[in-house]
Amino acid sequence: MLDATTLSGVGGTTLPTDMCLATAYDIQVHPDGRILLSGCQDGLRIANPDTLALTFVGPMPSGNPRLLGFTPQGDAVLTPAIGGVSAFGITGIAAMHLQTGAIKAVTWGLAGSSFPGFPTGSAAFRMTRVQRPSDAPDNPLFVFSYFTANGNSPVAYATADDLALDPPRLTGLVDLGPMSSFGADPAGEQGIGGRLGGLRRVSIDASEPVLITDGINLSMTGVDTLTDIIVIDQPYAFVFADGLEGN
């Protein structure tokens, strides 16, 4: 563990080497300071931020150790789930309760009958919090992007209120092209998605569809499977907000 200001080491803990040495994978820090560690063969662990003592939670919902983020109430972590993703079947996302290890599938709450399909092998990949101008402070939008080796997966979304339901649900799905990674500007009005050498700008609205492509796909060497997209505020926001295609 590092000091956020000086980056000097302030403590550490040892994972069970027989289960985690070669497979430790993902880290998420809970809003209350707890540190979630995934990738150990037996499942998820949580480190106490003060003592760094490890607590075993339970087996992960699937063989994919990625941690997407937390439910709005903070009682569960969202992870990829077992099974093929479908607009009318499973979302490919599960909520794992941090106290009990109980797993609950996230469902679809889609209105209508026509939605883009998912390529074979699609898996939930990123969860991005977006605070739109019209959103109440405690009810932001969450965007879920998916990755597959077989093409472009659509992007799903839900509000905090949707994710707080029992079971949690996703309420939107739209095909935006190459978008396994996604980042939103601090104002919550525009975003950028990327996948394997390409970027595309996205407009974010309060009405349906919430996400709409804005401009052409841009070739960008270096955008890869594990690329994170972070849009910063002033003084550089003008580069993002206007004329992205020309920069």
Side-chain angles (χ1 to χ4, degrees):
M1 190 161 62
L2 303 178
D3 183 283
T5 302
T6 65
L7 298 185
S8 59
V10 296
T13 190
T14 301
L15 293 172
T17 55
D18 59 332
M19 295 182 180
C20 310
L21 185 61
T23 56
Y25 186 83
D26 208 354
I27 296 175
Q28 282 273 355
V29 179
H30 193 278
D32 66 13
R34 288 179 293 173
I35 304 166
L36 277 65
L37 309 165
S38 75
C40 296
Q41 295 173 17
D42 60 344
L44 181 69
R45 283 178 167 77
I46 297 180
N48 182 296
D50 298 317
T51 66
L52 296 185
L54 293 174
T55 300
F56 176 70
V57 178
M60 296 285 287
S62 74
N64 189 330
R66 182 172 295 279
L67 302 175
L68 302 174
F70 301 98
T71 53
Q73 57 271 45
D75 63 340
V77 63
L78 299 173
T79 78
I82 294 174
V85 185
S86 167
F88 300 99
I90 68 168
T91 62
I93 299 174
M96 183 175 186
H97 197 275
L98 297 178
Q99 291 294 330
T100 66
I103 295 168
K104 188 170 293 185
V106 177
T107 65
W108 291 112
L110 300 175
S113 60
S114 179
F115 295 93
F118 285 87
T120 301
S122 296
F125 198 66
R126 291 280 194 278
M127 179 177 110
T128 305
R129 184 183 187 277
V130 181
Q131 188 74 49
R132 297 170 294 179
S134 59
D135 290 334
D138 60 350
N139 192 31
L141 182 76
F142 290 90
V143 177
F144 295 84
S145 54
Y146 294 75
F147 180 81
T148 176
N150 302 303
N152 296 325
S153 295
V155 175
Y157 51 86
T159 65
D161 284 350
D162 295 319
L163 294 178
L165 295 173
D166 186 12
R169 68 180 185 181
L170 305 182
T171 55
L173 185 67
V174 61
D175 185 358
L176 300 176
M179 210 139 309
S180 56
S181 296
F182 181 80
D185 76 298
E189 296 177 330
Q190 294 184 334
I192 293 178
R195 181 185 185 275
L196 299 179
L199 293 175
R200 194 171 199 180
R201 188 168 63 184
V202 175
S203 291
I204 306 170
D205 199 357
S207 58
E208 293 291 341
V210 168
L211 304 174
I212 303 172
T213 55
D214 181 10
I216 62 174
N217 288 330
L218 298 176
S219 178
M220 183 70 68
T221 302
V223 177
D224 207 339
T225 303
L226 297 179
T227 295
D228 281 312
I229 298 175
I230 300 172
V231 182
I232 61 174
D233 206 347
Q234 298 289 348
Y236 304 107
F238 70 91
V239 176
F240 168 75
D242 295 294
L244 174 67
E245 292 84 356
N247 287 289

